[in-house]
Amino acid sequence: MHVQRKSLGSSGSRRVARAWAMIALLCVAVWGGGSRPAAAQRLAAPAAARPALVVQGGHAGPVQSLAASVEGKLIATSDGLEVRLWDAPSGDLRRVIPAAGAMDLARDGAKLAAFSGGALTLWDTRTGALLRAVETGQGPWARAVRFSPGGTLVATGGWQEVKVWNAATGAPRQVLRHAGNSESLAFSPDGLSLAVARSDRDPSVVYDPGGRPPMIGADLWDLRSGRIRAVCAGHDLAPGAIAFSPDGLRVALPRLRFPGGGIPAAPDAAPAIETGVAIWEPGTDAVREWKGHERPITSLAFSPDGRLLATGSEDTTAAVWDPRTARLLQTLTGHRRGINSVVFTAAGALATAGMDAAVRQWDARTGRHLRTLEGNGRSVGALAFSPDGAVLAALGSTRDPGNENDTGAGVLALWEAHSGGFLRSGTGPAALPRRVSFSPDSTKLVSAALQGATVVWSTAEARPLAALSDPEWRPLELRFGADNNGLSGLAFRGEAASAQGAAAAVAWDTLDDGRVRVVSTLAGASQYSALSPDGKTAATAGRDSTIVIWSTDTGAVRQRLANSPGHLAFSPNGRRLVSGDPLGVVRIWNLEAGQLDRTLVEKGPEITALAFAPGSGTLTAADAGGNITAWNTGGQLLWRVKGPTGGAQGLAYSPDGKRLAGGSRSGAVCMWDAATGKLLVTLKLLSGDEWIAFTPEGYYDGSTGADQAIRWRVGDRLEPATRYAPAYRRPERVRQALEGRADPAR
């Protein structure tokens, strides 16, 4: 396919004298590298502090928690899948760490603790390195984690127990057993006591319609004796938050009271009669209460001097109180959805974050808004190379995280596959794409979506040509015919995961009238599907734990394979089928023999995508743990690398099988060497048509506005893009990386 690159500008570059060694980091966030141009010695960093490229941007989804270092220079934000570390004074992103679950930051900012699925992980925030992983044995629903003030201990809370660990070695120190579930933890300022907010809520049940509010209590443990010093119960205490005052004399908890004492049938069925704050003084057992907010309080925090108390609420506001008098000092507005977390970054400075994916910084004393660290609503869910391998199409969606009713829009981005240059982008109807394919002449694309519209796109203009809809059938996977006009593929009706649904082989003979022709049907679930290379065989699977292999011409069932539902893919010759399920099991099936050939993975993170390489039959799987794994046809492991956080949302091989592309929930597209798994280049569409393409070493190409989205991390400093642009803005290096050519002599 002949392509014409849209010129958005790039700065000149200079030839480099010698390359530094590659620094291997995450492809969706932070890459480092450097060079020492002969004519630009002043730009070079010392060997111990090589510049690392940091592409700015917020989370793709709701921010669940915040933490800050005691001096207020570092803010950590988590969306449950990754943690982003920000420079608090400037609002610049410093680093992304693939730490999942609940998290906390040590007071000195040097370490990060994350807790998910019963696993505690400890990270070095200065290098992004994983220091230690500990299996706590507290089960998949445990979610509370907290550092001690000195950073020497980490506490994790689960069902009926809290465990205390040595933060340096990961060795267990104490087990504190209690009734119910650990909802939130707080160490006393001297580190000798631990406050535990607990409930009798079953942590595996998200909501209990018609039940009573879970009983909440707060226990204060003496960590020297391992015994409870004091208990606070009653007072309509609510789950989810607890905070110690800096003097160690008071504990703050949220309050919540429902009408009639019961939980409404749905979270929004009836407003709470009363929400507010309870201040508990364990030394005297005194409890002071006051009302505040219109919806439940989700987070609270004392200022470092103890003179202020901040609360965040589902009502989209944060409030600042005088905890001694219960006087409301400030109401902070600006979030468009509920607030999940509040934290003081220094005396008087407050950060808030929530469901709108934004982190907002405030002067808590005056209520003045300082800055917003915006979220990123873009994701990439489906990828395809043009038949000649010249163009890579990335199809995803964009939605406003601040509007829960926003269905978003489909977004198509077209890239030069050999250079990493951006061609063009366009938007179409809202969709969550799962498959995309080119027409034989590369002039059109078709995207099939499990939710939203099925769209035919013009590649010359990146705009929709037609939106295909049928009142009965929704496409799962479509391909163009040899005439570049008609379409054929698979569709479903009813519920895709239901046994009462049905799958069908369908065709659009022309795109003009949009009418679908049903070729054959198969009763049953079709939550997951795959079409053989010749289009004559289909594989579908649903919740009945059966993969059905059937003829697209007649609908006749050829085989039934017992297997959990999951992603499916045919081998290039159509003789094998691979399945990958939510439990991480990856199996290869021999379709000629009608039996299991081998199991590649017995258990692991959920499989998010599968792909076979053309010709060679190399199989690649992406999982929710961020791993990309490749095997040969004999089941031998070829390589495993870290990919996008949360798992690649789509995988596609180039027609020659030399490159592998993967999309991500952050909107980035990563391209790897298919033979070795080495990361070659990352492509990212920024705001509008601004874009950047960069290598792991930090060489980059981009639009004229790309430098605004770049910072360089040098040791503990962040430098603007212009500082190293003359040495690193090198389009030819990006092209060399994608072509697999070694760097020329420098």
Side-chain angles (χ1 to χ4, degrees):
M1 175 181 178
H2 174 72
V3 298
Q4 181 178 1
R5 179 169 168 178
K6 178 176 179 178
S7 176
L8 294 176
S10 63
S11 66
S13 58
R14 306 182 213 176
R15 197 163 186 79
V16 175
R18 180 168 297 276
W20 286 333
M22 169 183 171
I23 301 174
L25 294 172
L26 296 175
C27 71
V28 293
V30 181
W31 289 261
S35 57
R36 188 179 296 273
Q41 294 286 338
R42 62 185 175 80
L43 297 177
R50 298 169 182 171
L53 180 67
V54 184
V55 178
Q56 301 296 293
H59 291 279
V63 180
Q64 297 180 4
S65 57
L66 285 169
S69 58
V70 67
E71 80 284 359
K73 294 182 179 179
L74 189 66
I75 298 176
T77 62
S78 172
D79 62 3
L81 292 175
E82 66 183 16
V83 174
R84 292 181 174 248
L85 301 177
W86 306 82
D87 181 76
S90 68
D92 289 338
L93 178 67
R94 299 186 64 88
R95 185 185 297 280
V96 178
I97 294 179
M103 68 88 185
D104 192 30
L105 192 66
R107 285 170 60 85
D108 63 2
K111 288 183 181 179
L112 176 82
F115 189 37
S116 175
L120 170 67
T121 54
L122 298 168
W123 305 79
D124 186 323
T125 60
R126 295 186 176 95
T127 66
L130 175 64
L131 300 174
R132 194 167 302 279
V134 179
E135 181 54 55
T136 68
Q138 291 176 289
W141 305 106
R143 63 179 185 179
V145 62
R146 192 69 63 201
F147 270 109
S148 65
T152 59
L153 302 176
V154 180
T156 58
W159 180 249
Q160 297 184 336
E161 67 179 15
V162 174
K163 293 185 177 182
V164 182
W165 310 84
N166 184 306
T169 66
R173 289 283 300 269
Q174 277 179 298
V175 179
L176 312 175
R177 303 193 185 280
H178 60 73
N181 188 57
S182 307
E183 298 286 347
S184 188
L185 309 172
F187 278 92
S188 61
D190 60 10
L192 300 178
S193 300
L194 181 68
V196 181
R198 56 180 174 78
S199 74
D200 62 1
R201 179 186 64 89
D202 183 345
S204 66
V205 177
V206 176
Y207 202 74
D208 181 18
R212 60 184 177 82
M215 182 180 296
I216 297 294
D219 299 333
L220 184 63
W221 292 82
D222 185 325
L223 296 180
R224 291 168 295 187
S225 66
R227 296 180 179 178
I228 294 177
R229 278 178 42 198
V231 175
C232 181
H235 304 283
D236 296 309
L237 299 181
I242 191 169
F244 246 114
S245 63
D247 60 12
L249 300 178
R250 294 163 292 167
V251 176
L253 299 115
R255 297 176 56 249
L256 173 64
R257 180 178 298 163
F258 285 106
I263 297 178
D268 294 324
I273 285 181
E274 182 179 302
T275 61
V277 177
I279 300 293
W280 173 39
E281 298 179 3
T284 64
D285 279 336
V287 177
R288 290 187 296 114
E289 304 174 9
W290 70 79
K291 298 178 182 179
H293 292 288
E294 297 178 357
R295 299 291 297 157
I297 293 173
T298 57
S299 180
L300 35 75
F302 281 96
S303 62
D305 60 10
R307 296 181 179 180
L308 303 175
L309 177 71
T311 56
S313 168
E314 291 179 8
D315 65 9
T316 77
T317 71
V320 181
W321 311 83
D322 182 332
R324 296 162 297 182
T325 65
R327 184 166 67 94
L328 177 64
L329 303 176
Q330 303 291 340
T331 299
L332 309 179
T333 61
H335 283 281
R336 291 175 294 161
R337 297 180 65 189
I339 293 175
N340 288 332
S341 189
V342 299
V343 64
F344 279 93
T345 58
L350 179 70
T352 60
M355 298 297 291
D356 59 1
V359 178
R360 299 175 74 88
Q361 293 178 267
W362 314 81
D363 183 323
R365 292 189 174 91
T366 65
R368 183 169 65 93
H369 173 242
L370 302 177
R371 66 176 58 87
T372 300
L373 312 177
E374 292 288 356
N376 168 25
R378 275 187 174 144
S379 65
V380 174
L383 297 160
F385 284 88
S386 61
D388 62 3
V391 174
L392 174 65
L395 194 68
S397 62
T398 181
R399 60 178 299 274
D400 179 4
N403 182 356
E404 61 184 328
N405 298 316
D406 180 29
T407 57
V411 178
L412 172 65
L414 298 173
W415 302 84
E416 277 188 330
H418 296 301
S419 71
F422 173 71
L423 295 171
R424 61 194 67 88
S425 68
T427 60
L432 295 175
R434 55 185 289 162
R435 301 283 171 80
V436 61
S437 61
F438 276 88
S439 61
D441 63 2
S442 299
T443 62
K444 292 188 283 290
L445 279 165
V446 62
S447 60
L450 193 61
Q451 298 179 33
T454 295
V455 181
V456 178
W457 302 78
S458 162
T459 57
E461 301 173 90
R463 67 175 180 85
L465 295 174
L468 307 178
S469 62
D470 184 87
E472 188 176 11
W473 296 98
R474 183 180 296 277
L476 292 164
E477 178 178 357
L478 293 174
R479 299 174 185 173
F480 282 94
D483 63 355
N484 298 296
N485 188 30
L487 293 167
S488 63
L490 300 175
F492 75 93
R493 68 181 176 193
E495 287 291 330
S498 170
Q500 282 69 50
V506 297
W508 277 267
D509 297 318
T510 68
L511 303 180
D512 300 329
D513 58 14
R515 288 183 294 180
V516 66
R517 176 170 57 87
V518 177
V519 179
S520 62
T521 61
L522 176 76
S526 54
Q527 185 178 10
Y528 300 93
S529 66
L531 194 60
S532 65
D534 62 9
K536 295 182 178 180
T537 304
T540 53
R543 292 178 181 171
D544 58 357
S545 298
T546 301
I547 300 173
V548 182
I549 312 297
W550 51 285
S551 166
T552 56
D553 290 332
T554 66
V557 174
R558 294 174 178 170
Q559 298 174 47
R560 293 184 183 272
L561 309 173
N563 189 76
S564 300
H567 291 275
L568 303 170
F570 278 95
S571 62
N573 60 16
R575 297 173 183 172
R576 284 178 169 80
L577 180 78
V578 63
S579 62
D581 66 24
L583 298 178
V585 182
V586 180
R587 295 186 174 101
I588 296 180
W589 303 85
N590 185 325
L591 298 183
E592 292 181 319
Q595 63 186 23
L596 179 67
D597 185 60
R598 57 177 52 88
T599 299
L600 299 177
V601 181
E602 294 283 355
K603 186 179 180 181
E606 178 181 0
I607 301 301
T608 59
L610 295 168
F612 271 104
S616 69
T618 298
L619 166 66
T620 305
D623 66 44
N627 303 299
I628 310 289
T629 308
W631 300 267
N632 63 18
T633 52
Q636 178 185 3
L637 177 66
L638 299 178
W639 49 262
R640 176 178 288 120
V641 297
K642 276 295 181 182
T645 303
Q649 302 302 299
L651 292 174
Y653 276 96
S654 59
D656 60 8
K658 294 182 178 180
R659 285 162 294 166
L660 175 70
S664 72
R665 59 193 295 274
S666 68
V669 175
C670 298
M671 296 182 70
W672 297 272
D673 183 306
T676 65
K678 177 187 176 183
L679 176 65
L680 302 175
V681 168
T682 299
L683 314 172
K684 189 169 179 63
L685 192 61
L686 305 171
S687 60
D689 275 357
E690 303 290 348
W691 61 278
I692 185 171
F694 51 100
T695 71
E697 296 83 4
Y699 298 114
Y700 71 98
D701 189 12
S703 61
T704 53
D707 285 349
Q708 298 179 14
I710 293 174
R711 301 291 184 274
W712 295 95
R713 190 181 64 249
V714 185
D716 289 334
R717 305 192 320 275
L718 283 175
E719 301 280 1
T722 53
R723 171 71 173 164
Y724 292 96
Y728 286 96
R729 191 170 183 127
R730 305 289 297 274
E732 77 278 9
R733 291 293 178 84
V734 177
R735 177 183 287 276
Q736 289 168 6
L738 285 171
E739 292 176 349
R741 292 192 287 127
D743 291 343
R746 294 185 289 263

